[in-house]
Amino acid sequence: MPTITIDGKQVEFKPGQTVIQAAMDAGIDIPHFCYHPKLSISGNCRVCLVEIEKMPKLAISCATLASDGMVVHTKSDKTLDARNAVMEFILINHPLDCPICDEAGECKLQEYAFAHSRGESRFDEIKNRKEKRVQLGPRVKFDAERCISCSRCIRFSDEIAKSNQLTFKNRGDKVTITTFPGESFDNPYTLNTVDICPVGALTNNDFRFKSRVWEMSSTNSVCIGCSRGCNIEIWVRNNEILRLTPRYNEEVNSFWMCDNGRLNTFKFVNSETRIDSCYLRKEGELVKSNWVEALEVTAKSLKEFKSNEVAFIASPYSTLEDNFILQKFAKQINSNNIFYANHIIEGDQDEILIREDKTPNSLGLKLLGIKNDISKLIDLIQKKNVKALLIMEEDLAGLGSEWENLLSKLELTIVIATNQNKTTLLADIILPAATYAEKHGTFVNFQGRVQRIRPAVETEELDRSLDGMSKSRWDKFGTKFDRWMQGKKYDAKPSWKIFTLLDSYFSNKIKFKMAEEVFDEISKSNDVFKDLDYDVIGDLGSLIKKEVYQNV
């Protein structure tokens, strides 16, 4: 392979790579604002200037192709002087409002101003005043004074979202970002521009002014908004999820995620509708209970029915581990009645990320051998062949009035749920389930990629320190007496653990203590998942060969 020398280090590069790309691959940092690996080269910030031997002038490393034998200096006096000058120029009209800026703590301008600027300004004139709090669209606000005109947002809109909604207007120091006349910045991916904005010019309406980045912990997880399974980070402060951001995975979602997944897949975790206890129906009313009583009553109630009179609803919103243990429990009581409901919105799909299957694990259920023949269950209930139904993390009644009528015909309805819904209102027994943000587990996306989720939010049985969860500075140095350590913890359990506890009243053969143990059992018992474990799956997931599941 051809080589290039950067700051005395010989680096191999691929033909067609630019100097900055070769440097990045070698772990060498060259400051940059406008460059992004998934966007076209614009070359307008100039902060990536480097000195290249045998070239008469400094060159921008983002737009200069690497060539064999090239010698590059990123820290020469000439380079540093130019970089400092560019930074001074960029900061001339910047408001320097870091103390109130959402981007503080994760701002490239802030970092580079500290590392590469003069430390003082020679500009004695009055700074330009531009528009602030401009509502570009329903989800994004724009502060024109903070903008450094890197054009990342414009290029994202044009090249990735394919919406062509943003542009520059005016010239020189009056230049600013705007939408085209009559346009609103409202495509399904607008909030990615907030992620890639190197300063605080673009902010997320939903997260604006809520927290500093160092006050939150971040946990690697997977979006549950559709079968794409975008890799994400869950950001938590005081045990409350405040935002989701995309996590890079080239094979799944690259650097991006859709706005719906970002905004509408986490708020139920800390919602007022969360089920905070077990409930039993007594004299027609749902009454708070505890785990011991609720499990005893559940077991006693199920034993009153014949095996074929009991049915189970699995869930494509639940993990492989949850559904696998549901299967095992059903087998322990000799019931083969296991079903699940599809959540497909036909036509609600694009060529970027969004899928019409609005669940994260429907392929996982199919690979476990669980059928989605929900019409068969309807027939069994109508004929009174099924008299008891255990529903796991699924709002059947929310699917339509037909289901409300069917559930009312049952003699026993047991619901394992995270939040109150139409189905829990009809339940005889409610057992509180942990959400995807409160447990370990795995999903299988539409590609056949097995991906891990991890707990980001504590429950009464999960401790951030003892269970190795991600910590913020507040978590590390706070005590239980500090107000920022008083976040609500729910007495909820992963669904697989609920079935494990319930089985102790039956065969007592399901004896798993950790989700990882459950997955190991899946791997041993199902050839589709052979040789997989949590370590193999890792942060980026593990792809099952298509020929293994294409006929499922």
Side-chain angles (χ1 to χ4, degrees), residues 14-66:
K14 300 171 186 175
Q17 281 191 314
T18 60
V19 172
I20 198 170
Q21 289 168 339
M24 283 181 167
D25 286 351
I28 299 171
D29 179 50
I30 298 177
H32 58 279
F33 289 120
C34 64
Y35 172 77
H36 189 282
K38 289 297 177 182
L39 302 177
S40 61
I41 303 297
S42 64
N44 57 344
C45 79
R46 321 306 286 183
V47 80
C48 70
L49 285 166
V50 293
E51 184 178 3
I52 300 175
E53 291 186 6
K54 299 181 181 179
M55 281 194 178
K57 297 189 295 185
L58 297 179
I60 51 173
S61 58
C62 67
T64 303
L65 288 175

Side-chain angles (χ1 to χ4, degrees), residues 276 458-463 488-492:
D276 59 352
E458 292 176 285
T459 60
E460 288 193 6
E461 69 173 25
L462 261 184
D463 183 271
K488 173 75 173 176
K489 298 179 184 179
Y490 292 95
D491 187 17

Side-chain angles (χ1 to χ4, degrees), residues 190-446:
T190 59
L191 289 171
N192 290 287
T193 60
V194 177
D195 298 328
I196 63 175
C197 179
V199 294
L202 297 174
T203 51
N204 177 347
N205 285 347
D206 187 69
F207 179 69
R208 189 174 166 89
F209 300 136
K210 281 190 177 178
S211 179
R212 293 301 198 184
V213 65
W214 57 82
E215 297 169 352
M216 300 181 289
S217 61
S218 65
T219 303
N220 290 352
S221 191
V222 173
C223 177
I224 62 169
C226 76
S227 60
R228 169 73 59 178
C230 289
N231 288 208
I232 61 171
E233 288 183 272
I234 302 176
W235 296 83
V236 173
R237 185 186 70 181
N238 199 19
N239 215 43
E240 178 184 2
I241 301 176
L242 296 183
R243 71 173 181 179
L244 305 181
T245 56
R247 176 167 55 90
Y248 175 71
N249 187 333
E250 185 60 35
E251 303 302 321
V252 180
N253 58 299
S254 188
F255 292 93
W256 324 118
M257 71 183 297
C258 74
D259 292 354
N260 178 64
R262 188 190 299 256
L263 297 177
N264 300 321
T265 60
F266 72 88
K267 294 177 183 176
F268 73 96
V269 176
N270 300 105
S271 167
E272 293 181 359
T273 65
R274 275 302 296 272
I275 297 170
D276 59 352
S277 176
C278 299
Y279 285 83
L280 300 175
R281 191 171 293 279
K282 297 179 179 179
E283 298 180 359
E285 297 291 330
L286 284 170
V287 179
K288 270 192 177 185
S289 181
N290 57 65
W291 279 105
V292 174
E293 181 189 19
L295 289 170
E296 286 178 351
V297 171
T298 301
K300 182 180 178 181
S301 300
L302 285 172
K303 288 176 180 178
E304 293 175 358
F305 298 90
K306 297 177 182 177
S307 297
N308 60 358
E309 293 177 335
V310 179
F312 295 83
I313 293 293
S315 175
Y317 291 107
S318 301
T319 62
L320 277 175
E321 292 79 357
D322 294 330
N323 286 287
F324 178 73
I325 297 300
L326 178 149
Q327 272 186 308
K328 286 186 75 73
F329 179 77
K331 288 177 183 177
Q332 296 300 331
I333 66 170
N334 298 313
S335 173
N336 295 317
N337 298 323
I338 307 175
F339 310 92
Y340 76 92
N342 279 325
H343 293 269
I344 294 174
I345 302 177
E346 293 185 5
D348 187 12
Q349 182 168 307
D350 62 27
E351 296 180 356
I352 305 172
L353 296 177
I354 298 170
R355 306 289 300 177
E356 61 183 14
D357 180 356
K358 301 306 176 185
T359 67
N361 199 31
S362 57
L363 180 56
L365 268 67
K366 292 175 183 177
L367 296 177
L368 289 175
I370 299 174
K371 308 294 183 183
N372 66 339
D373 188 9
I374 203 78
S375 59
K376 181 180 177 181
L377 175 61
I378 294 173
D379 186 56
L380 289 171
I381 295 175
Q382 288 175 336
K383 292 179 178 178
K384 297 189 177 181
N385 291 329
V386 165
K387 300 177 181 179
L389 185 62
L390 194 156
I391 304 167
M392 180 181 73
E393 299 184 44
E394 179 65 79
D395 183 14
L396 280 184
L399 299 178
S401 57
E402 178 189 20
W403 277 105
E404 291 187 54
N405 295 331
L406 285 169
L407 293 177
S408 65
K409 294 178 180 179
L410 294 167
E411 295 179 23
L412 176 66
T413 303
I414 303 165
V415 179
I416 298 173
T418 62
N419 294 68
Q420 300 166 19
N421 54 45
K422 290 184 177 180
T423 304
T424 60
L425 294 175
L426 301 171
D428 298 299
I429 301 170
I430 301 174
L431 303 174
T435 67
Y436 79 104
E438 297 165 327
K439 62 185 176 183
H440 289 280
T442 49
F443 295 133
V444 184
N445 78 348
F446 80 101

